Amino acid sequence: MGVFEWIGLGYVSYLFLYAVFLCLSDCDLGLLLATKFGKGIGKFNKKVVWITGASSGIGEHLALVLAKAGAKLVLSARSETNLERVKQKCLGADGITSEDILIIPMDVTDFSQHQQHFNKVLSHFGQLDILVNNAGRSQRASWEDIQLDVDKQMFDLNVFGTISLSRIAARYFLDRGSGHIAVTSSIAGVLGAPFSGSYTATKHAIHGYFNSLRREKLGTNLVITLLCPGPTFSNFLAESFTDKPGEKFGQPQSATDRRMTTERCAYLSAIAIANELNEVWMGLFPLLPLVYIAVYCPVITNSLGRFVGASALQKLRDTKVAVDESKRNDASS
């Protein structure tokens, strides 16, 4: 064979192996390599890490992972009771004392208090090394029924709260000469998720804000990591926004749902942060292959979408479709 045939064969072999990898892994290739050959969670030893949304779900389990690694933690969420519960669980890690964990109850949508909370962190620990923006809520609703107040509330929580706190941290990190901002986004920040119009928009906005920041600060020691998990076991579904302000979806997730465990998601997130990866995707099969196809082969995705339908895509997230389109059609007929 000639040189071009060898190149072609090599490329086809690469694509084949990559496809096999995607079917067997629960994260993208860069993150998988980091778990095998990169820096471990020991990198967090003595680091001061602030986690918002730390009272449950991914935030809670990330706190447990980092506590075991010897990190000093700042835990924030609205529920002081749940933060105390998480703190007590973290105190079980070797060498972690009560002084190593600072609880700051806060509502991230109260932007006026962010600087005060930040000052409290510096007063207690003398420094901050990593800010993990994890606070946020999901959504289940039909796009055309979503009231505009819901969009505003979701952007306040999922976007503007994160941006406000991150700008304070960014100024501090840039003045200090180093620092790391991590943000829990979602696969919905990479693709458009059905029945989650406002939520998807907030996650796309997060990518826009932080990708802009990353490129603007090239050459500095400010690190940005976007964490993009797929369906994960947590209390997110019951707490999700709907199409009406103040309403919660209230549906519990099913134990038979195909979701990543919260523990695994938290561990992968910790590895991504430790290795200062720009953006990572996490999810169980067949999510990752579908994401890669959607991103790199949009024509194929659009063609397949016409045959699969929104309900089938939604079932990749929830066993029961959040919005029953057949009932909607009956009601409108």
Side-chain angles (χ1 to χ4, degrees), residues 3-296:
V3 63
F4 291 109
E5 285 83 358
W6 279 110
I7 293 174
L9 179 61
Y11 184 65
V12 170
S13 300
Y14 165 79
L15 291 178
F16 174 77
L17 291 175
Y18 208 110
V20 171
F21 147 76
L22 287 177
C23 293
L24 299 177
S25 177
D26 60 359
C27 60
D28 63 71
L29 180 59
L31 181 52
L32 178 66
L33 292 175
T35 64
K36 303 296 183 184
F37 309 108
K39 297 174 182 177
I41 61 173
K43 182 182 177 181
F44 294 105
N45 187 44
K46 305 303 181 183
K47 297 290 186 181
V48 179
V49 185
W50 187 358
I51 306 172
T52 67
S55 62
S56 63
I58 296 172
E60 174 182 349
H61 285 86
L62 180 59
L64 297 176
V65 171
L66 299 187
K68 292 177 181 177
K72 300 178 185 294
L73 298 173
V74 183
L75 306 179
S76 290
R78 288 178 298 175
S79 172
E80 185 171 2
T81 299
N82 282 329
L83 289 175
E84 286 288 352
R85 176 183 56 79
V86 175
K87 177 177 180 177
Q88 292 305 312
K89 292 173 71 174
C90 290
L91 289 176
D94 291 341
I96 297 297
T97 68
S98 182
E99 284 299 305
D100 294 325
I101 303 176
L102 174 64
I103 287 179
I104 301 182
M106 64 180 287
D107 180 350
V108 296
T109 64
D110 187 357
F111 314 132
S112 65
Q113 298 297 309
H114 287 184
Q115 185 65 62
Q116 179 180 326
H117 294 318
F118 197 89
N119 293 342
K120 187 173 183 179
V121 173
L122 298 185
S123 176
H124 185 86
F125 287 116
Q127 68 184 60
L128 176 66
D129 299 298
I130 303 169
L131 170 64
V132 181
N133 294 286
N134 179 69
R137 285 169 60 189
S138 188
Q139 181 189 40
R140 296 296 184 271
S142 288
W143 192 95
E144 68 276 15
D145 293 331
I146 300 170
Q147 297 181 23
L148 193 59
D149 281 345
V150 174
D151 297 291
K152 293 177 181 178
Q153 289 173 10
M154 291 208 71
F155 267 80
D156 278 347
L157 175 59
N158 290 4
V159 181
F160 299 133
T162 292
I163 297 306
S164 172
L165 193 58
S166 294
R167 282 184 172 146
I168 295 171
R171 290 192 291 268
Y172 167 78
F173 290 148
L174 290 168
D175 288 342
R176 193 181 73 161
S178 65
H180 193 156
I181 299 175
V183 188
T184 302
S185 178
S186 168
I187 291 297
V190 181
L191 306 177
F195 305 113
S196 297
S198 312
Y199 175 75
T200 295
T202 64
K203 295 306 181 181
H204 275 69
I206 285 294
H207 283 245
Y209 271 111
F210 285 98
N211 283 329
S212 176
L213 174 62
R214 182 188 293 116
R215 286 163 178 77
E216 183 177 321
K217 303 306 177 186
L218 289 173
T220 71
N221 289 322
L222 179 62
V223 179
I224 307 297
T225 297
L226 293 173
L227 308 167
C228 303
T232 304
F233 280 106
S234 69
N235 64 339
F236 76 97
L237 196 56
E239 295 293 316
S240 291
F241 282 88
T242 63
D243 54 11
K244 299 178 181 63
E247 183 178 77
K248 294 183 179 181
F249 186 56
Q251 177 180 307
Q253 57 194 340
S254 171
T256 59
D257 282 355
R258 185 165 176 76
R259 302 182 186 277
M260 178 178 287
T261 65
T262 319
E263 294 85 352
R264 175 64 174 171
C265 184
Y267 173 75
L268 290 174
S269 296
I271 292 296
I273 297 170
N275 288 274
E276 300 184 350
L277 302 181
N278 286 346
E279 181 176 319
V280 296
W281 301 348
M282 299 168 277
L284 301 183
F285 180 84
L287 182 63
L288 286 184
L290 292 176
V291 173
Y292 271 80
I293 292 171
V295 171
Y296 298 109

Side-chain angles (χ1 to χ4, degrees), residues 302-317:
N302 292 337
S303 298
L304 289 175
R306 295 189 183 95
F307 295 99
V308 174
S311 295
L313 293 175
Q314 177 64 14
K315 286 182 180 179
L316 290 174
R317 305 171 73 200

